[in-house]
Amino acid sequence: MKVLFFIFVSEGGRGGHYHSLNHITRTLGTTDCKIDILTIGNQTSEIIAENPHFRKHLYFNRDNFINFFKQLYLEIQNNKPDILHFFDTQSYSLCFPLTFFFDSKVVLTKCGGANSPKLYPIVPNLILFTEENRKWFVSKNQYKNTRIEVIPNRVNVLKIEKNEDYQKDPEYFSFVRICRIGKEYCNSILNGINLVKELNQSSDFKTKLYVIGKVTDDEIYSILLEAAKGYDIEFITDNRIALEASRMLYLADAVIGTGRSALEALSLGLPLLVPSGQINFPILFDENNRIEIMQKNFTERAEFGKLSHLDELKKIELLITDNKYYSTMLNYSKAIFNEFYDVHGIKSNYINFYKNANFTKLTFEGLLVNIKSTLSTIVTMFKNKYK
């Protein structure tokens, strides 16, 4: 079986879904599937470019509009894939007009995130990472003919590498938050800063927060620096480190994580805290809240009953002061990872999904939605809105 993957590159090509594609394709490459990857956009992804299945980058901007579609057509024609697997809506929308020329099954993956707007494409086959998204799609009549499956496994056990420039201080209990430093993750970083402040006021042990990632908004970065002033909070923004920031998790006693960064922490068996929209600091991921948190992809969208500020803080303090409880949470993280998120569990799931996937059958409504989505993506590209 030949599978041709597509992913659109923007924001430096370093986000979580690039890592997910990297891990998934490397694992599928150990099966009988023949895997190739095409990246599309006005920049490349270093993460995908190092993947052994990377085939080519197709530049797409308003200056090479016609040439792009010629190249794209030839790549698909020469590859003759059984499956066209798109890893975001932009790559699917750009390729959508050409899907009618090839006898290939079409699969789209939605890599977590909030539930979708009206213009989300209507596809014959859809792979999701979260139960939250599945519930939304099956509730919509336009997706009644779509084959939908949740396959959350998407992370390898991380390899961490100590950087001589950054040494962990054993006198501190250290939290690590890995994310882009900009508007999208501002609240989650503030959650971590607030936690250090809370612990500083309520206890006599030493805690520290490392925030590691690329600065994408200088104004937000300045706000965060001001909020962190006077506390043991360090920002590591070197782009070389930010590219594979997860390798720095040797600094962590516990991780403040969302989405993929949360799963990477679990892969190492590190206790995990998830930013909360209900209190001003992250909460400890445990058996009592795991269903709500996992369904919302380890984000602050998770909703609970009444959260007790004091009770949640006490759990984190216990994590820091009680070695037995800390060991229990280490084992809990690893068990959750092994059962739900280890990428090595995907092989049979993906192969069976591909074998049973539907061929394209679009209603008139589906055709209209997909045409609008394609035009919207092209217009956005022409306006240079993709950075």
Side-chain angles (χ1 to χ4, degrees):
M1 184 184 303
K2 297 180 73 174
V3 185
L4 182 58
F5 282 87
F6 300 81
I7 193 166
F8 186 84
V9 183
S10 61
E11 298 290 342
R14 299 179 180 184
H17 67 302
Y18 299 100
H19 289 281
S20 295
L21 176 62
N22 184 35
H23 288 191
I24 287 168
T25 52
R26 285 174 184 269
T27 300
L28 285 177
T30 65
T31 69
D32 291 335
C33 290
K34 170 69 169 64
I35 305 297
D36 285 299
I37 306 170
L38 289 178
T39 56
I40 296 171
N42 58 7
Q43 56 183 293
T44 59
S45 168
E46 293 178 53
I47 293 164
I48 301 302
E50 293 179 0
N51 186 295
H53 305 290
F54 175 64
R55 180 181 178 92
K56 196 173 192 179
H57 179 76
L58 299 179
Y59 281 95
F60 177 51
N61 53 49
R62 57 187 175 189
D63 298 324
N64 74 334
F65 178 73
I66 301 299
N67 190 49
F68 164 78
F69 283 103
K70 286 182 179 178
Q71 289 184 68
L72 180 61
Y73 178 87
L74 289 173
E75 287 293 332
I76 299 174
Q77 185 182 52
N78 293 336
N79 190 278
K80 295 181 172 59
D82 300 294
I83 306 290
L84 298 172
H85 192 150
F86 300 92
F87 233 68
D88 49 53
T89 57
Q90 292 95 333
S91 62
Y92 173 73
S93 294
L94 289 174
C95 297
F96 169 69
L98 298 184
T99 60
F100 295 98
F101 293 95
F102 300 98
D103 188 25
S104 304
K105 295 178 179 179
V106 172
V107 177
L108 174 61
T109 290
K110 176 170 170 52
C111 301
N115 290 323
S116 303
K118 293 180 180 179
L119 270 184
Y120 197 88
I122 296 174
V123 292
N125 306 286
L126 186 61
I127 292 176
L128 306 171
F129 284 171
T130 70
E131 182 63 20
E132 171 192 18
N133 291 154
R134 188 197 70 81
K135 287 180 178 178
W136 187 89
F137 279 102
V138 299
S139 72
K140 303 300 177 184
N141 187 59
Q142 61 265 41
Y143 296 99
K144 65 181 180 181
N145 296 320
T146 298
R147 180 179 178 82
I148 299 172
E149 191 167 331
V150 178
I151 307 178
N153 314 63
R154 56 192 187 272
V155 179
N156 269 317
V157 177
L158 286 182
K159 294 180 181 178
I160 56 178
E161 297 178 8
K162 291 190 176 181
N163 186 316
E164 292 182 0
D165 295 332
Y166 299 95
Q167 302 295 326
K168 187 179 186 310
D169 189 335
E171 292 188 9
Y172 285 81
F173 187 96
S174 297
F175 301 95
V176 172
R177 174 70 177 119
I178 293 174
C179 61
R180 293 188 296 276
I181 301 172
K183 186 175 182 180
E184 183 179 2
Y185 295 106
C186 180
N187 286 336
S188 70
I189 298 172
L190 284 173
N191 250 210
I193 293 171
N194 289 336
L195 176 61
V196 171
K197 292 180 178 180
E198 292 271 1
L199 293 170
N200 185 270
Q201 293 169 7
S202 64
S203 59
D204 57 3
F205 44 76
K206 294 181 177 180
T207 57
K208 179 168 184 171
L209 170 64
Y210 293 94
V211 180
I212 307 173
K214 180 182 179 181
V215 176
T216 59
D217 188 317
D218 290 328
E219 185 177 347
I220 294 294
Y221 184 36
S222 296
I223 291 171
L224 293 170
L225 287 174
E226 184 63 29
K229 192 177 293 184
Y231 293 90
D232 288 308
I233 297 167
E234 182 174 354
F235 289 82
I236 301 175
T237 60
D238 186 318
N239 281 341
R240 293 169 299 174
I241 293 174
L243 179 62
E244 291 288 350
S246 57
R247 293 178 180 175
M248 300 290 287
L249 285 177
Y250 68 87
L251 294 171
D253 293 299
V255 171
I256 301 169
T258 58
R260 185 176 184 85
S261 68
L263 306 189
E264 290 172 339
L266 296 179
S267 82
L268 295 174
L270 287 168
L272 174 66
L273 288 80
V274 177
S276 169
Q278 293 177 242
I279 55 178
N280 71 345
F281 59 85
I283 63 175
L284 182 65
F285 173 67
D286 62 18
E287 186 61 27
N288 295 320
N289 55 36
R290 77 175 183 92
I291 293 176
E292 292 83 0
I293 289 176
M294 288 169 64
Q295 284 186 348
K296 295 297 176 73
N297 199 30
F298 298 85
T299 66
E300 53 204 64
R301 295 195 305 277
E303 296 177 358
F304 312 93
K306 202 168 182 180
L307 278 182
S308 166
H309 180 286
L310 184 59
D311 288 346
E312 295 301 326
L313 191 61
K314 282 183 176 178
K315 284 200 293 186
I316 298 171
E317 289 178 342
L318 188 63
L319 183 74
I320 297 170
T321 59
D322 188 324
N323 290 334
K324 185 176 179 180
Y325 183 63
Y326 183 82
S327 295
T328 298
M329 297 313 297
L330 286 177
N331 294 331
Y332 183 72
S333 289
K334 192 64 178 176
I336 290 292
F337 175 77
N338 290 339
E339 183 173 356
F340 296 102
Y341 300 109
D342 189 341
V343 74
H344 292 97
I346 68 169
K347 294 178 183 179
S348 61
N349 289 336
Y350 271 76
I351 291 170
N352 288 337
F353 188 90
Y354 290 149
K355 285 180 178 177
N356 296 304
N358 299 322
F359 282 98
T360 300
K361 290 182 181 179
L362 278 178
T363 63
F364 180 71
E365 177 194 15
L367 184 63
L368 276 181
V369 168
N370 290 358
I371 290 172
K372 288 179 182 178
S373 181
T374 295
L375 292 175
S376 175
T377 302
I378 291 172
V379 168
T380 304
M381 176 63 77
F382 267 58
K383 290 181 178 179
N384 290 322
K385 292 287 183 69
Y386 291 118
K387 303 299 181 183

